[in-house]
Amino acid sequence: MKLSDIKNAYFVGIKGSGMSSVAQILVAHGVYVSGSDTKEKFFTDESLKRSGIPYHEDFLADHILGSEDVVVYSTAYHPESHVELLAAKDKNIPVMSYPEFLGMLTREKFSIAVCGSHGKTTTTALLAHTLQIAGSDPSAVVGSRVLNWGGGGLDGKGIYFIFEADEYQNKFKEYNPWSVILTNIDWDHPDFFSTAEIYRETFRSFFEKLPAHGFLVVCGDDAEAVMAAKKSGKRFVTYGFANDAEYHIEQRPVVHRQQETSDKKKETVTMQSFSVQCGGKNLGVFETTLTGKHNIQNATGVVAMCHLLKIDMVIVAEGIKTFQGTSRRFESVGERGGVLLFDDYAHHPSEIRALLNGVRARYPHKRILAVFQPHTFSRTKALFEEFSQCLSVADKVYLLNIYASAREQAGDVSSQELVDRINYYDHGRAEFAGDINGAVDILQKEMRNNDIVLTIGAGDVWRVNEKLKATSGK
């Protein structure tokens, strides 16, 4: 099947971040798209509605009309048991999983995969945005809403297809990359990858798919990433702060720029500044509104790939400077009574540590109140000690119940146990909040002017700030 064969598509689990992005690409391509999901509100609801995509908030066999050219399903659901997928099979409609469908798209253009345990969403979006600024008119699939676009998908007419390559469930086996950016390798998804070695091997096998004329761009600051690249036998280049990185970063002092907001007001924006050296040459000075050292690394991965693609570095600098970020990646979601509200998708100890260090560097004099929702029982148990210590940069930590997601229904670890462990190392730092309303009740009493409330997690913890804004002044 090719994209040109599809005129009508139905998506099961359409609210998923990757699913909604692909759906938006199809709509832009002239395909009629509809779908279904649960009634639970996701941050993708807004993008789907803006794209005019109708969807049911339940699953019924009658939703499959028989006129669909393909039914695409999230891997959270199973074709052997899901009522809509069984209905599609009965009506002889082709059924494809999300990674299978995305794999089909990767075969139609020069596909650049961005992979890694952390940072791939931001790096994918930044690369696609920069190539867009450069006039390359790329297509792209990003697992989040890109603030510059208002969605997660681009249907460009150019030769490049930029996509976020998720390793979970070894989706890599479906993808056909021409080139790859690797941000890092840090064992995750213990419910699927039982050991760090199996996890690492998945990346190495993915790199073996690269053609001889493609590029492998690897963060040289991450030993596991470099090791996997070496073992793949493929030619690769490195970027990072390491002295031996071929695209070497030199961090510069932050700068403060005046810029105009959408309502024509002036505001001061703090930007990280860095330069990149390659082969004894200075490729330029780059500025980004993104927070944290890890985002300088992500931006440099983009610089390296663009340099290999022979994109003008002046234009690359403009792309990086004008990139506004993605939804749920240290996203500013408002203010309440002098309290700044931010939200972030971080759900792994390394991500949380990098996030909090970046926030502390940017706001050294503010009190950080972190609301953390652990994601999946298996991850919480496997990385329990790491979770108990990575939140220490926050002044106060409030934990919600573990978000099970569609992967698991129960487990033998709890958020209360994690609270106890955090307080074992630092008495009084953590408090169990229970659910969304419990966290809102606590914060309404505790937060004060000049604080930051930062919601952290891959579940629905973002609702805390939504409710704080809704109850402002009450």
Side-chain angles (χ1 to χ4, degrees):
M1 180 176 286
K2 296 181 180 179
L3 182 56
S4 58
D5 299 325
I6 301 169
K7 302 293 184 257
N8 186 333
Y10 188 91
F11 281 59
V12 177
I14 196 167
K15 293 184 183 182
S17 56
M19 291 279 283
S20 66
S21 296
V22 170
Q24 290 163 47
I25 283 184
L26 265 61
V27 168
H29 204 73
V31 176
Y32 176 77
V33 178
S34 59
S36 58
D37 213 307
T38 64
K39 291 182 179 179
E40 183 180 357
K41 185 178 179 182
F42 288 85
F43 67 93
T44 55
D45 284 66
E46 182 183 338
S47 297
L48 290 169
K49 289 173 181 174
R50 187 185 298 112
S51 297
I53 299 174
Y55 56 89
H56 307 281
E57 292 193 321
D58 56 3
F59 301 112
L60 296 172
D62 290 346
H63 294 161
I64 306 300
L65 303 177
S67 56
E68 298 85 358
D69 296 310
V70 65
V71 172
V72 184
Y73 67 93
S74 162
T75 54
Y77 303 107
H78 303 285
E80 302 83 9
S81 58
H82 194 279
V83 61
E84 293 182 345
L85 299 176
L86 290 172
K89 183 178 179 181
D90 288 342
K91 294 180 179 180
N92 295 315
I93 301 169
V95 172
M96 299 177 72
S97 69
Y98 167 75
E100 287 172 337
F101 194 83
L102 183 57
M104 178 194 76
L105 296 179
T106 66
R107 290 190 288 273
E108 299 200 355
K109 295 193 177 188
F110 286 96
S111 296
I112 303 176
V114 179
C115 64
S117 308
H118 323 298
K120 54 184 173 285
T121 299
T122 297
T123 307
T124 306
L126 181 53
L127 176 60
H129 169 74
T130 302
L131 290 177
Q132 191 179 42
I133 293 294
S136 297
D137 196 18
S139 297
V141 171
V142 181
S144 183
R145 181 171 60 91
V146 182
L147 302 185
N148 295 80
W149 314 337
L154 283 181
D155 180 42
K157 303 300 185 287
I159 63 173
Y160 299 120
F161 178 68
I162 318 302
F163 72 104
E164 181 176 343
D166 181 14
E167 74 277 12
Y168 183 56
Q169 299 168 323
N170 194 16
K171 296 184 179 77
F172 285 165
K173 66 181 183 293
E174 305 293 348
Y175 305 148
N176 297 272
W178 167 69
S179 292
V180 169
I181 295 178
L182 171 63
T183 58
N184 44 60
I185 297 178
D186 192 5
W187 181 44
D188 197 5
H189 308 297
D191 60 316
F192 187 84
F193 302 105
S194 57
T195 67
E197 177 56 35
I198 293 173
Y199 183 75
R200 185 187 308 120
E201 183 68 14
T202 303
F203 286 88
R204 185 198 63 75
S205 298
F206 185 45
F207 304 149
E208 289 183 345
K209 292 185 171 187
L210 286 169
H213 58 283
F215 304 119
L216 176 54
V217 177
V218 179
C219 183
D221 298 328
D222 189 271
E224 292 283 2
V226 173
M227 184 184 302
K230 286 180 177 177
K231 286 186 175 181
S232 73
K234 297 294 182 177
R235 179 175 60 90
F236 67 96
V237 298
T238 58
Y239 65 90
F241 291 95
N243 290 330
D244 60 349
E246 288 155 275
Y247 290 85
H248 174 68
I249 304 167
E250 292 185 359
Q251 193 161 1
R252 299 163 60 91
V254 298
V255 294
H256 304 284
R257 301 285 186 210
Q258 285 284 313
Q259 73 176 31
E260 195 174 83
T261 63
S262 57
D263 56 357
K264 305 300 182 183
K265 293 181 180 178
K266 292 285 186 180
E267 66 176 6
T268 301
V269 177
T270 299
M271 308 190 79
Q272 295 193 97
S273 177
F274 62 99
S275 61
V276 178
Q277 314 290 324
C278 178
K281 287 186 174 183
N282 185 357
L283 299 186
V285 175
F286 305 88
E287 296 177 358
T288 176
T289 59
L290 301 178
T291 296
K293 181 179 178 180
H294 59 294
N295 275 319
I296 292 180
Q297 291 170 315
N298 294 336
T300 306
V302 171
V303 170
M305 181 59 76
C306 288
H307 187 250
L308 293 168
L309 297 177
K310 303 188 185 308
I311 307 294
D312 187 327
M313 287 293 108
V314 174
I315 298 175
V316 172
E318 181 65 17
I320 291 171
K321 185 177 182 179
T322 57
F323 180 64
Q324 297 171 17
T326 61
S327 180
R328 303 217 61 216
R329 271 65 179 182
F330 194 54
E331 181 182 9
S332 175
V333 293
E335 182 177 347
R336 172 177 162 159
V339 177
L340 301 181
L341 309 177
F342 290 95
D343 176 59
D344 198 278
Y345 189 76
H347 53 281
H348 186 283
S350 297
E351 295 170 346
I352 295 168
R353 186 176 294 108
L355 166 67
L356 288 171
N357 284 335
V359 176
R360 177 60 73 203
R362 186 162 188 156
Y363 298 103
H365 305 300
K366 290 185 180 290
R367 192 171 66 132
I368 301 172
L369 308 182
V371 184
F372 176 51
Q373 182 184 48
H375 190 260
T376 75
F377 292 96
S378 56
R379 181 186 284 115
T380 306
K381 183 176 181 179
L383 304 175
F384 187 82
E385 283 300 318
E386 291 90 339
F387 277 121
S388 70
Q389 298 179 55
C390 69
L391 292 152
S392 62
V393 174
D395 297 284
K396 188 74 177 181
V397 180
Y398 305 99
L399 266 81
L400 303 187
N401 288 313
I402 295 171
Y403 188 88
S405 81
R407 304 178 192 175
E408 308 166 331
Q409 297 304 314
D412 55 358
V413 66
S414 71
S415 289
Q416 182 61 64
E417 292 175 77
L418 189 52
V419 166
D420 294 341
R421 194 62 173 170
I422 293 170
N423 288 337
Y424 172 82
Y425 292 113
D426 193 352
H427 180 70
R429 183 177 297 273
E431 183 177 342
F432 179 63
D435 59 12
I436 302 292
N437 289 330
V440 171
D441 290 342
I442 292 172
L443 287 166
Q444 285 179 323
K445 297 173 185 174
E446 294 292 328
M447 63 188 189
R448 56 179 183 259
N449 184 47
N450 209 39
D451 282 349
I452 287 174
V453 171
L454 174 62
T455 51
I456 306 171
D460 62 352
V461 64
W462 54 272
R463 292 175 179 271
V464 171
N465 276 334
E466 189 178 70
K467 283 182 173 286
L468 286 174
K469 287 195 297 180
T471 57
S472 178
K474 294 183 179 180

